[in-house]
Amino acid sequence: MQFIPSNVRGPLFMIISTGSYLVNDTMMKLATTGLPPYEVLLLRGAAATLWGVPLLLMLGYARQIALLFERKVLRRNLFELLAILCYVVALANMQIADSTALGQVTPLIVLVGSSMLFGEKIGAMRMALIGLGFVGALMVAQPTMQGISVYALLALGNAAFAAVRDLAGRKVGAEVPGMIVAISAVLVVLVGSGAAHLVSEQWVMPEGHHLLLIAGAGLFLIFGHFFIFMAYRVGPTSAVAPFYYCFTVWAVISGLLVFRQFPNALAVCGILLVMASGLIIVSLDERKRRLAMVA
């Protein structure tokens, strides 16, 4: 991937990651029609493992298999597990565009965390934009007189855990290949979802179309894990995180093409507000870079 300009790699990897995750999400949502959500998660983990282990061997990582269980890798992927346990239930019960839009709070939390943990400067304007992002998320959640939907809260929980995952991923050593981290995430989620299924669900025999959807979801999941980890590894957080908003664009496309759904007017405004805050952050970073070059 050395032929890709260094300043483009992070954002490009994030765009590929969000697209891969959204294909996975779409197949998962289709598979949850007729199957319990944690069972679908368990089966997807098994499918991703069957795809991923041969891929690791083909890439020549056999001698680095032990890194799957390295402490910092496992810590990062524990938060991945918590995020997906929240998200799969929200996904099964909400429109895909709405559940994905709520997840767009993740890059805003990552930016705040990067400032607190790694000393990256935010500034008053960036803090205001982060606030706008949260307002946009609430517009999508649309609290009623009975309170915010439990599924919206789960989607927000997914966003928070995903942000901690990405911050923890920055502490993983450079000697650990990105694909090792991706397959480790698959294995951790496989074990966690299996436990969640045994505790809270009854097994339902999947049909042929369920298995095909889950096999496809498992393949795209690996690429989603790999590219999101690599995006934060090769690019600065402030340049990469806002491109997480591509999730919303992919989700709207999926909702239209696959589910014939479109978020209502207030939710659309919320999505646009969340996306706008991220794009303005990118513009501010580019302006700062150009001023630094002139100086």
Side-chain angles (χ1 to χ4, degrees), residues 6-15 18 107 110-111 120 166 227-246 278 281-282 285:
S6 58
N7 64 324
V8 175
R9 286 178 203 159
L12 178 61
F13 289 172
M14 182 59 80
I15 292 170
T18 55
V110 169
L111 286 169
E120 293 190 13
D166 292 335
F227 281 107
I228 198 168
F229 176 76
M230 291 303 297
Y232 284 109
R233 169 170 281 184
V234 304
T237 303
S238 59
V240 171
F243 284 89
Y244 196 92
Y245 299 119
C246 291
I281 286 173
V282 173
D285 287 339

PDB file of all heavy atoms in Angstrom, residues 6-15 18 107 110-111 120 166 227-246 278 281-282 285:
ATOM      1  N   SER A   6       0.804   9.143   1.750  1.00  0.00           N
ATOM      2  CA  SER A   6       0.693   8.951   3.199  1.00  0.00           C
ATOM      3  C   SER A   6      -0.456   9.748   3.814  1.00  0.00           C
ATOM      4  O   SER A   6      -1.111   9.282   4.752  1.00  0.00           O
ATOM      5  CB  SER A   6       2.012   9.340   3.876  1.00  0.00           C
ATOM      6  OG  SER A   6       2.342  10.699   3.582  1.00  0.00           O
ATOM      7  N   ASN A   7      -0.726  10.954   3.294  1.00  0.00           N
ATOM      8  CA  ASN A   7      -1.787  11.776   3.880  1.00  0.00           C
ATOM      9  C   ASN A   7      -3.182  11.311   3.472  1.00  0.00           C
ATOM     10  O   ASN A   7      -4.183  11.799   3.996  1.00  0.00           O
ATOM     11  CB  ASN A   7      -1.596  13.243   3.489  1.00  0.00           C
ATOM     12  CG  ASN A   7      -1.732  13.470   1.994  1.00  0.00           C
ATOM     13  OD1 ASN A   7      -1.322  12.620   1.203  1.00  0.00           O
ATOM     14  ND2 ASN A   7      -2.296  14.594   1.608  1.00  0.00           N
ATOM     15  N   VAL A   8      -3.246  10.372   2.538  1.00  0.00           N
ATOM     16  CA  VAL A   8      -4.538   9.863   2.054  1.00  0.00           C
ATOM     17  C   VAL A   8      -4.873   8.516   2.685  1.00  0.00           C
ATOM     18  O   VAL A   8      -6.043   8.149   2.785  1.00  0.00           O
ATOM     19  CB  VAL A   8      -4.523   9.744   0.515  1.00  0.00           C
ATOM     20  CG1 VAL A   8      -5.800   9.106  -0.014  1.00  0.00           C
ATOM     21  CG2 VAL A   8      -4.314  11.110  -0.116  1.00  0.00           C
ATOM     22  N   ARG A   9      -3.863   7.782   3.126  1.00  0.00           N
ATOM     23  CA  ARG A   9      -4.086   6.406   3.586  1.00  0.00           C
ATOM     24  C   ARG A   9      -5.101   6.311   4.718  1.00  0.00           C
ATOM     25  O   ARG A   9      -6.031   5.496   4.667  1.00  0.00           O
ATOM     26  CB  ARG A   9      -2.761   5.789   4.053  1.00  0.00           C
ATOM     27  CG  ARG A   9      -1.833   5.415   2.925  1.00  0.00           C
ATOM     28  CD  ARG A   9      -0.532   4.854   3.472  1.00  0.00           C
ATOM     29  NE  ARG A   9       0.532   5.002   2.483  1.00  0.00           N
ATOM     30  CZ  ARG A   9       1.815   4.996   2.773  1.00  0.00           C
ATOM     31  NH1 ARG A   9       2.211   4.842   4.027  1.00  0.00           N
ATOM     32  NH2 ARG A   9       2.714   5.133   1.825  1.00  0.00           N
ATOM     33  N   GLY A  10      -4.929   7.130   5.774  1.00  0.00           N
ATOM     34  CA  GLY A  10      -5.839   7.046   6.915  1.00  0.00           C
ATOM     35  C   GLY A  10      -7.291   7.267   6.529  1.00  0.00           C
ATOM     36  O   GLY A  10      -8.143   6.405   6.803  1.00  0.00           O
ATOM     37  N   PRO A  11      -7.619   8.415   5.892  1.00  0.00           N
ATOM     38  CA  PRO A  11      -9.013   8.623   5.472  1.00  0.00           C
ATOM     39  C   PRO A  11      -9.525   7.544   4.513  1.00  0.00           C
ATOM     40  O   PRO A  11     -10.677   7.110   4.635  1.00  0.00           O
ATOM     41  CB  PRO A  11      -8.956   9.991   4.783  1.00  0.00           C
ATOM     42  CG  PRO A  11      -7.821  10.696   5.459  1.00  0.00           C
ATOM     43  CD  PRO A  11      -6.807   9.630   5.713  1.00  0.00           C
ATOM     44  N   LEU A  12      -8.678   7.105   3.569  1.00  0.00           N
ATOM     45  CA  LEU A  12      -9.106   6.071   2.622  1.00  0.00           C
ATOM     46  C   LEU A  12      -9.412   4.768   3.342  1.00  0.00           C
ATOM     47  O   LEU A  12     -10.432   4.115   3.071  1.00  0.00           O
ATOM     48  CB  LEU A  12      -8.025   5.847   1.564  1.00  0.00           C
ATOM     49  CG  LEU A  12      -8.319   4.749   0.534  1.00  0.00           C
ATOM     50  CD1 LEU A  12      -9.574   5.065  -0.265  1.00  0.00           C
ATOM     51  CD2 LEU A  12      -7.127   4.546  -0.401  1.00  0.00           C
ATOM     52  N   PHE A  13      -8.538   4.379   4.287  1.00  0.00           N
ATOM     53  CA  PHE A  13      -8.776   3.152   5.038  1.00  0.00           C
ATOM     54  C   PHE A  13     -10.066   3.251   5.842  1.00  0.00           C
ATOM     55  O   PHE A  13     -10.797   2.271   5.975  1.00  0.00           O
ATOM     56  CB  PHE A  13      -7.595   2.867   5.977  1.00  0.00           C
ATOM     57  CG  PHE A  13      -6.332   2.441   5.272  1.00  0.00           C
ATOM     58  CD1 PHE A  13      -5.143   2.301   5.970  1.00  0.00           C
ATOM     59  CD2 PHE A  13      -6.328   2.183   3.909  1.00  0.00           C
ATOM     60  CE1 PHE A  13      -3.980   1.910   5.338  1.00  0.00           C
ATOM     61  CE2 PHE A  13      -5.163   1.805   3.252  1.00  0.00           C
ATOM     62  CZ  PHE A  13      -3.980   1.672   3.976  1.00  0.00           C
ATOM     63  N   MET A  14     -10.356   4.442   6.380  1.00  0.00           N
ATOM     64  CA  MET A  14     -11.588   4.618   7.150  1.00  0.00           C
ATOM     65  C   MET A  14     -12.819   4.494   6.251  1.00  0.00           C
ATOM     66  O   MET A  14     -13.828   3.882   6.643  1.00  0.00           O
ATOM     67  CB  MET A  14     -11.583   5.969   7.862  1.00  0.00           C
ATOM     68  CG  MET A  14     -12.818   6.202   8.728  1.00  0.00           C
ATOM     69  SD  MET A  14     -13.032   4.965  10.021  1.00  0.00           S
ATOM     70  CE  MET A  14     -11.862   5.564  11.247  1.00  0.00           C
ATOM     71  N   ILE A  15     -12.749   5.044   5.050  1.00  0.00           N
ATOM     72  CA  ILE A  15     -13.874   4.932   4.112  1.00  0.00           C
ATOM     73  C   ILE A  15     -14.111   3.467   3.732  1.00  0.00           C
ATOM     74  O   ILE A  15     -15.254   2.993   3.695  1.00  0.00           O
ATOM     75  CB  ILE A  15     -13.611   5.786   2.860  1.00  0.00           C
ATOM     76  CG1 ILE A  15     -13.647   7.285   3.225  1.00  0.00           C
ATOM     77  CG2 ILE A  15     -14.653   5.499   1.774  1.00  0.00           C
ATOM     78  CD1 ILE A  15     -13.173   8.198   2.123  1.00  0.00           C
ATOM     79  N   THR A  18     -15.649   1.666   6.824  1.00  0.00           N
ATOM     80  CA  THR A  18     -17.070   1.938   7.050  1.00  0.00           C
ATOM     81  C   THR A  18     -17.943   1.230   6.012  1.00  0.00           C
ATOM     82  O   THR A  18     -19.016   0.721   6.344  1.00  0.00           O
ATOM     83  CB  THR A  18     -17.355   3.445   7.039  1.00  0.00           C
ATOM     84  OG1 THR A  18     -16.880   4.016   5.809  1.00  0.00           O
ATOM     85  CG2 THR A  18     -16.666   4.143   8.207  1.00  0.00           C
ATOM     86  N   PRO A 107     -16.576   9.164  16.593  1.00  0.00           N
ATOM     87  CA  PRO A 107     -15.390   9.993  16.330  1.00  0.00           C
ATOM     88  C   PRO A 107     -15.304  11.232  17.205  1.00  0.00           C
ATOM     89  O   PRO A 107     -14.205  11.712  17.496  1.00  0.00           O
ATOM     90  CB  PRO A 107     -15.539  10.380  14.853  1.00  0.00           C
ATOM     91  CG  PRO A 107     -16.972  10.184  14.534  1.00  0.00           C
ATOM     92  CD  PRO A 107     -17.415   9.036  15.388  1.00  0.00           C
ATOM     93  N   VAL A 110     -13.785  10.028  20.316  1.00  0.00           N
ATOM     94  CA  VAL A 110     -12.381   9.725  20.065  1.00  0.00           C
ATOM     95  C   VAL A 110     -11.541  10.998  20.083  1.00  0.00           C
ATOM     96  O   VAL A 110     -10.433  11.027  20.639  1.00  0.00           O
ATOM     97  CB  VAL A 110     -12.209   8.987  18.709  1.00  0.00           C
ATOM     98  CG1 VAL A 110     -10.742   8.917  18.309  1.00  0.00           C
ATOM     99  CG2 VAL A 110     -12.783   7.580  18.805  1.00  0.00           C
ATOM    100  N   LEU A 111     -12.059  12.068  19.493  1.00  0.00           N
ATOM    101  CA  LEU A 111     -11.321  13.334  19.477  1.00  0.00           C
ATOM    102  C   LEU A 111     -11.112  13.876  20.892  1.00  0.00           C
ATOM    103  O   LEU A 111     -10.025  14.344  21.239  1.00  0.00           O
ATOM    104  CB  LEU A 111     -12.056  14.360  18.619  1.00  0.00           C
ATOM    105  CG  LEU A 111     -11.967  14.142  17.106  1.00  0.00           C
ATOM    106  CD1 LEU A 111     -12.943  15.058  16.384  1.00  0.00           C
ATOM    107  CD2 LEU A 111     -10.557  14.368  16.605  1.00  0.00           C
ATOM    108  N   GLU A 120      -3.545  15.783  22.184  1.00  0.00           N
ATOM    109  CA  GLU A 120      -3.922  16.451  20.940  1.00  0.00           C
ATOM    110  C   GLU A 120      -4.832  17.635  21.266  1.00  0.00           C
ATOM    111  O   GLU A 120      -5.803  17.502  22.005  1.00  0.00           O
ATOM    112  CB  GLU A 120      -4.638  15.477  19.995  1.00  0.00           C
ATOM    113  CG  GLU A 120      -3.741  14.367  19.478  1.00  0.00           C
ATOM    114  CD  GLU A 120      -4.409  13.564  18.369  1.00  0.00           C
ATOM    115  OE1 GLU A 120      -5.442  14.020  17.842  1.00  0.00           O
ATOM    116  OE2 GLU A 120      -3.884  12.487  18.034  1.00  0.00           O
ATOM    117  N   ASP A 166     -11.124   2.260  19.843  1.00  0.00           N
ATOM    118  CA  ASP A 166     -10.187   2.904  18.924  1.00  0.00           C
ATOM    119  C   ASP A 166      -9.055   3.612  19.667  1.00  0.00           C
ATOM    120  O   ASP A 166      -7.911   3.642  19.200  1.00  0.00           O
ATOM    121  CB  ASP A 166     -10.941   3.884  18.019  1.00  0.00           C
ATOM    122  CG  ASP A 166     -11.881   3.169  17.054  1.00  0.00           C
ATOM    123  OD1 ASP A 166     -11.627   1.986  16.748  1.00  0.00           O
ATOM    124  OD2 ASP A 166     -12.868   3.783  16.615  1.00  0.00           O
ATOM    125  N   PHE A 227      -9.254  -2.554   8.419  1.00  0.00           N
ATOM    126  CA  PHE A 227      -9.047  -1.202   7.904  1.00  0.00           C
ATOM    127  C   PHE A 227      -9.305  -0.124   8.948  1.00  0.00           C
ATOM    128  O   PHE A 227      -8.662   0.933   8.914  1.00  0.00           O
ATOM    129  CB  PHE A 227      -9.902  -0.971   6.651  1.00  0.00           C
ATOM    130  CG  PHE A 227      -9.304  -1.577   5.420  1.00  0.00           C
ATOM    131  CD1 PHE A 227      -9.847  -2.713   4.848  1.00  0.00           C
ATOM    132  CD2 PHE A 227      -8.182  -1.025   4.828  1.00  0.00           C
ATOM    133  CE1 PHE A 227      -9.286  -3.291   3.712  1.00  0.00           C
ATOM    134  CE2 PHE A 227      -7.610  -1.577   3.694  1.00  0.00           C
ATOM    135  CZ  PHE A 227      -8.163  -2.718   3.133  1.00  0.00           C
ATOM    136  N   ILE A 228     -10.212  -0.358   9.914  1.00  0.00           N
ATOM    137  CA  ILE A 228     -10.408   0.681  10.933  1.00  0.00           C
ATOM    138  C   ILE A 228      -9.204   0.751  11.863  1.00  0.00           C
ATOM    139  O   ILE A 228      -8.781   1.835  12.287  1.00  0.00           O
ATOM    140  CB  ILE A 228     -11.717   0.468  11.722  1.00  0.00           C
ATOM    141  CG1 ILE A 228     -12.110   1.775  12.431  1.00  0.00           C
ATOM    142  CG2 ILE A 228     -11.596  -0.649  12.756  1.00  0.00           C
ATOM    143  CD1 ILE A 228     -13.508   1.774  13.001  1.00  0.00           C
ATOM    144  N   PHE A 229      -8.616  -0.403  12.178  1.00  0.00           N
ATOM    145  CA  PHE A 229      -7.413  -0.394  13.004  1.00  0.00           C
ATOM    146  C   PHE A 229      -6.260   0.278  12.264  1.00  0.00           C
ATOM    147  O   PHE A 229      -5.534   1.107  12.829  1.00  0.00           O
ATOM    148  CB  PHE A 229      -7.029  -1.824  13.392  1.00  0.00           C
ATOM    149  CG  PHE A 229      -5.739  -1.916  14.159  1.00  0.00           C
ATOM    150  CD1 PHE A 229      -5.688  -1.551  15.495  1.00  0.00           C
ATOM    151  CD2 PHE A 229      -4.573  -2.354  13.545  1.00  0.00           C
ATOM    152  CE1 PHE A 229      -4.496  -1.619  16.206  1.00  0.00           C
ATOM    153  CE2 PHE A 229      -3.384  -2.421  14.247  1.00  0.00           C
ATOM    154  CZ  PHE A 229      -3.345  -2.059  15.578  1.00  0.00           C
ATOM    155  N   MET A 230      -6.090  -0.053  10.985  1.00  0.00           N
ATOM    156  CA  MET A 230      -4.991   0.514  10.211  1.00  0.00           C
ATOM    157  C   MET A 230      -5.187   2.003   9.972  1.00  0.00           C
ATOM    158  O   MET A 230      -4.217   2.767   9.891  1.00  0.00           O
ATOM    159  CB  MET A 230      -4.856  -0.218   8.876  1.00  0.00           C
ATOM    160  CG  MET A 230      -4.373  -1.659   9.011  1.00  0.00           C
ATOM    161  SD  MET A 230      -2.781  -1.804   9.858  1.00  0.00           S
ATOM    162  CE  MET A 230      -1.715  -0.922   8.702  1.00  0.00           C
ATOM    163  N   ALA A 231      -6.447   2.456   9.864  1.00  0.00           N
ATOM    164  CA  ALA A 231      -6.705   3.879   9.636  1.00  0.00           C
ATOM    165  C   ALA A 231      -6.129   4.716  10.770  1.00  0.00           C
ATOM    166  O   ALA A 231      -5.450   5.730  10.543  1.00  0.00           O
ATOM    167  CB  ALA A 231      -8.212   4.127   9.508  1.00  0.00           C
ATOM    168  N   TYR A 232      -6.389   4.279  12.019  1.00  0.00           N
ATOM    169  CA  TYR A 232      -5.866   5.027  13.165  1.00  0.00           C
ATOM    170  C   TYR A 232      -4.371   4.811  13.353  1.00  0.00           C
ATOM    171  O   TYR A 232      -3.701   5.621  13.985  1.00  0.00           O
ATOM    172  CB  TYR A 232      -6.620   4.643  14.437  1.00  0.00           C
ATOM    173  CG  TYR A 232      -7.994   5.266  14.528  1.00  0.00           C
ATOM    174  CD1 TYR A 232      -9.149   4.500  14.387  1.00  0.00           C
ATOM    175  CD2 TYR A 232      -8.144   6.634  14.747  1.00  0.00           C
ATOM    176  CE1 TYR A 232     -10.412   5.079  14.471  1.00  0.00           C
ATOM    177  CE2 TYR A 232      -9.397   7.211  14.825  1.00  0.00           C
ATOM    178  CZ  TYR A 232     -10.522   6.434  14.688  1.00  0.00           C
ATOM    179  OH  TYR A 232     -11.764   7.013  14.757  1.00  0.00           O
ATOM    180  N   ARG A 233      -3.840   3.717  12.814  1.00  0.00           N
ATOM    181  CA  ARG A 233      -2.401   3.474  12.942  1.00  0.00           C
ATOM    182  C   ARG A 233      -1.606   4.366  11.998  1.00  0.00           C
ATOM    183  O   ARG A 233      -0.537   4.859  12.365  1.00  0.00           O
ATOM    184  CB  ARG A 233      -2.079   1.998  12.671  1.00  0.00           C
ATOM    185  CG  ARG A 233      -0.594   1.689  12.527  1.00  0.00           C
ATOM    186  CD  ARG A 233      -0.291   0.215  12.499  1.00  0.00           C
ATOM    187  NE  ARG A 233      -0.293  -0.369  13.834  1.00  0.00           N
ATOM    188  CZ  ARG A 233       0.017  -1.647  14.083  1.00  0.00           C
ATOM    189  NH1 ARG A 233       0.301  -2.466  13.088  1.00  0.00           N
ATOM    190  NH2 ARG A 233       0.023  -2.096  15.321  1.00  0.00           N
ATOM    191  N   VAL A 234      -2.102   4.589  10.787  1.00  0.00           N
ATOM    192  CA  VAL A 234      -1.302   5.306   9.781  1.00  0.00           C
ATOM    193  C   VAL A 234      -1.620   6.792   9.708  1.00  0.00           C
ATOM    194  O   VAL A 234      -0.872   7.551   9.079  1.00  0.00           O
ATOM    195  CB  VAL A 234      -1.475   4.680   8.374  1.00  0.00           C
ATOM    196  CG1 VAL A 234      -1.134   3.201   8.391  1.00  0.00           C
ATOM    197  CG2 VAL A 234      -2.902   4.884   7.841  1.00  0.00           C
ATOM    198  N   GLY A 235      -2.717   7.243  10.332  1.00  0.00           N
ATOM    199  CA  GLY A 235      -3.090   8.658  10.228  1.00  0.00           C
ATOM    200  C   GLY A 235      -3.384   9.272  11.576  1.00  0.00           C
ATOM    201  O   GLY A 235      -3.768   8.574  12.517  1.00  0.00           O
ATOM    202  N   PRO A 236      -3.218  10.599  11.723  1.00  0.00           N
ATOM    203  CA  PRO A 236      -3.559  11.274  12.973  1.00  0.00           C
ATOM    204  C   PRO A 236      -5.062  11.220  13.227  1.00  0.00           C
ATOM    205  O   PRO A 236      -5.871  11.245  12.290  1.00  0.00           O
ATOM    206  CB  PRO A 236      -3.081  12.712  12.746  1.00  0.00           C
ATOM    207  CG  PRO A 236      -3.048  12.881  11.266  1.00  0.00           C
ATOM    208  CD  PRO A 236      -2.697  11.540  10.702  1.00  0.00           C
ATOM    209  N   THR A 237      -5.424  11.147  14.498  1.00  0.00           N
ATOM    210  CA  THR A 237      -6.832  11.001  14.867  1.00  0.00           C
ATOM    211  C   THR A 237      -7.698  12.105  14.281  1.00  0.00           C
ATOM    212  O   THR A 237      -8.796  11.850  13.773  1.00  0.00           O
ATOM    213  CB  THR A 237      -6.968  11.008  16.403  1.00  0.00           C
ATOM    214  OG1 THR A 237      -6.155   9.955  16.939  1.00  0.00           O
ATOM    215  CG2 THR A 237      -8.408  10.794  16.823  1.00  0.00           C
ATOM    216  N   SER A 238      -7.211  13.349  14.340  1.00  0.00           N
ATOM    217  CA  SER A 238      -8.025  14.476  13.878  1.00  0.00           C
ATOM    218  C   SER A 238      -8.307  14.405  12.386  1.00  0.00           C
ATOM    219  O   SER A 238      -9.310  14.934  11.913  1.00  0.00           O
ATOM    220  CB  SER A 238      -7.321  15.797  14.214  1.00  0.00           C
ATOM    221  OG  SER A 238      -6.046  15.854  13.593  1.00  0.00           O
ATOM    222  N   ALA A 239      -7.427  13.752  11.619  1.00  0.00           N
ATOM    223  CA  ALA A 239      -7.635  13.638  10.173  1.00  0.00           C
ATOM    224  C   ALA A 239      -8.466  12.423   9.806  1.00  0.00           C
ATOM    225  O   ALA A 239      -9.174  12.423   8.798  1.00  0.00           O
ATOM    226  CB  ALA A 239      -6.280  13.569   9.462  1.00  0.00           C
ATOM    227  N   VAL A 240      -8.397  11.376  10.641  1.00  0.00           N
ATOM    228  CA  VAL A 240      -9.046  10.104  10.305  1.00  0.00           C
ATOM    229  C   VAL A 240     -10.455  10.011  10.876  1.00  0.00           C
ATOM    230  O   VAL A 240     -11.399   9.607  10.185  1.00  0.00           O
ATOM    231  CB  VAL A 240      -8.188   8.928  10.817  1.00  0.00           C
ATOM    232  CG1 VAL A 240      -8.945   7.612  10.678  1.00  0.00           C
ATOM    233  CG2 VAL A 240      -6.873   8.864  10.047  1.00  0.00           C
ATOM    234  N   ALA A 241     -10.628  10.379  12.154  1.00  0.00           N
ATOM    235  CA  ALA A 241     -11.893  10.146  12.854  1.00  0.00           C
ATOM    236  C   ALA A 241     -13.112  10.717  12.137  1.00  0.00           C
ATOM    237  O   ALA A 241     -14.153  10.046  12.076  1.00  0.00           O
ATOM    238  CB  ALA A 241     -11.809  10.707  14.278  1.00  0.00           C
ATOM    239  N   PRO A 242     -13.055  11.941  11.593  1.00  0.00           N
ATOM    240  CA  PRO A 242     -14.265  12.473  10.949  1.00  0.00           C
ATOM    241  C   PRO A 242     -14.775  11.632   9.775  1.00  0.00           C
ATOM    242  O   PRO A 242     -15.965  11.680   9.460  1.00  0.00           O
ATOM    243  CB  PRO A 242     -13.820  13.867  10.482  1.00  0.00           C
ATOM    244  CG  PRO A 242     -12.732  14.240  11.420  1.00  0.00           C
ATOM    245  CD  PRO A 242     -11.997  12.961  11.666  1.00  0.00           C
ATOM    246  N   PHE A 243     -13.902  10.850   9.135  1.00  0.00           N
ATOM    247  CA  PHE A 243     -14.349  10.035   8.004  1.00  0.00           C
ATOM    248  C   PHE A 243     -15.168   8.828   8.456  1.00  0.00           C
ATOM    249  O   PHE A 243     -15.714   8.103   7.634  1.00  0.00           O
ATOM    250  CB  PHE A 243     -13.153   9.611   7.159  1.00  0.00           C
ATOM    251  CG  PHE A 243     -12.628  10.736   6.311  1.00  0.00           C
ATOM    252  CD1 PHE A 243     -11.670  11.608   6.793  1.00  0.00           C
ATOM    253  CD2 PHE A 243     -13.131  10.958   5.040  1.00  0.00           C
ATOM    254  CE1 PHE A 243     -11.203  12.655   6.033  1.00  0.00           C
ATOM    255  CE2 PHE A 243     -12.675  12.013   4.268  1.00  0.00           C
ATOM    256  CZ  PHE A 243     -11.705  12.867   4.766  1.00  0.00           C
ATOM    257  N   TYR A 244     -15.241   8.633   9.764  1.00  0.00           N
ATOM    258  CA  TYR A 244     -16.164   7.652  10.321  1.00  0.00           C
ATOM    259  C   TYR A 244     -17.604   8.002   9.948  1.00  0.00           C
ATOM    260  O   TYR A 244     -18.484   7.135   9.926  1.00  0.00           O
ATOM    261  CB  TYR A 244     -15.989   7.630  11.836  1.00  0.00           C
ATOM    262  CG  TYR A 244     -16.566   6.443  12.569  1.00  0.00           C
ATOM    263  CD1 TYR A 244     -15.794   5.319  12.833  1.00  0.00           C
ATOM    264  CD2 TYR A 244     -17.884   6.444  13.033  1.00  0.00           C
ATOM    265  CE1 TYR A 244     -16.311   4.237  13.526  1.00  0.00           C
ATOM    266  CE2 TYR A 244     -18.411   5.378  13.729  1.00  0.00           C
ATOM    267  CZ  TYR A 244     -17.620   4.268  13.974  1.00  0.00           C
ATOM    268  OH  TYR A 244     -18.134   3.202  14.658  1.00  0.00           O
ATOM    269  N   TYR A 245     -17.842   9.278   9.634  1.00  0.00           N
ATOM    270  CA  TYR A 245     -19.183   9.716   9.261  1.00  0.00           C
ATOM    271  C   TYR A 245     -19.655   9.103   7.949  1.00  0.00           C
ATOM    272  O   TYR A 245     -20.845   9.175   7.633  1.00  0.00           O
ATOM    273  CB  TYR A 245     -19.238  11.247   9.171  1.00  0.00           C
ATOM    274  CG  TYR A 245     -18.923  11.913  10.472  1.00  0.00           C
ATOM    275  CD1 TYR A 245     -17.836  12.763  10.598  1.00  0.00           C
ATOM    276  CD2 TYR A 245     -19.711  11.687  11.593  1.00  0.00           C
ATOM    277  CE1 TYR A 245     -17.535  13.368  11.805  1.00  0.00           C
ATOM    278  CE2 TYR A 245     -19.414  12.283  12.804  1.00  0.00           C
ATOM    279  CZ  TYR A 245     -18.325  13.126  12.898  1.00  0.00           C
ATOM    280  OH  TYR A 245     -18.023  13.707  14.093  1.00  0.00           O
ATOM    281  N   CYS A 246     -18.733   8.513   7.186  1.00  0.00           N
ATOM    282  CA  CYS A 246     -19.149   7.807   5.962  1.00  0.00           C
ATOM    283  C   CYS A 246     -20.113   6.673   6.283  1.00  0.00           C
ATOM    284  O   CYS A 246     -20.870   6.239   5.415  1.00  0.00           O
ATOM    285  CB  CYS A 246     -17.932   7.272   5.218  1.00  0.00           C
ATOM    286  SG  CYS A 246     -16.904   8.565   4.489  1.00  0.00           S
ATOM    287  N   GLY A 278     -18.301  16.921  11.404  1.00  0.00           N
ATOM    288  CA  GLY A 278     -17.064  16.221  11.045  1.00  0.00           C
ATOM    289  C   GLY A 278     -16.356  16.849   9.862  1.00  0.00           C
ATOM    290  O   GLY A 278     -15.128  16.993   9.859  1.00  0.00           O
ATOM    291  N   ILE A 281     -14.567  19.980  10.851  1.00  0.00           N
ATOM    292  CA  ILE A 281     -13.325  19.656  11.565  1.00  0.00           C
ATOM    293  C   ILE A 281     -12.208  19.365  10.569  1.00  0.00           C
ATOM    294  O   ILE A 281     -11.066  19.811  10.728  1.00  0.00           O
ATOM    295  CB  ILE A 281     -13.546  18.460  12.513  1.00  0.00           C
ATOM    296  CG1 ILE A 281     -14.352  18.898  13.727  1.00  0.00           C
ATOM    297  CG2 ILE A 281     -12.214  17.859  12.956  1.00  0.00           C
ATOM    298  CD1 ILE A 281     -14.765  17.767  14.639  1.00  0.00           C
ATOM    299  N   VAL A 282     -12.526  18.619   9.507  1.00  0.00           N
ATOM    300  CA  VAL A 282     -11.527  18.331   8.469  1.00  0.00           C
ATOM    301  C   VAL A 282     -11.060  19.626   7.816  1.00  0.00           C
ATOM    302  O   VAL A 282      -9.863  19.832   7.575  1.00  0.00           O
ATOM    303  CB  VAL A 282     -12.104  17.382   7.406  1.00  0.00           C
ATOM    304  CG1 VAL A 282     -11.134  17.220   6.237  1.00  0.00           C
ATOM    305  CG2 VAL A 282     -12.393  16.021   8.019  1.00  0.00           C
ATOM    306  N   ASP A 285      -8.668  21.454  10.042  1.00  0.00           N
ATOM    307  CA  ASP A 285      -7.342  20.821  10.047  1.00  0.00           C
ATOM    308  C   ASP A 285      -6.565  21.165   8.788  1.00  0.00           C
ATOM    309  O   ASP A 285      -5.353  21.411   8.827  1.00  0.00           O
ATOM    310  CB  ASP A 285      -7.485  19.304  10.176  1.00  0.00           C
ATOM    311  CG  ASP A 285      -7.896  18.884  11.574  1.00  0.00           C
ATOM    312  OD1 ASP A 285      -7.689  19.687  12.498  1.00  0.00           O
ATOM    313  OD2 ASP A 285      -8.406  17.770  11.726  1.00  0.00           O
TER     314      ASP A 285
END
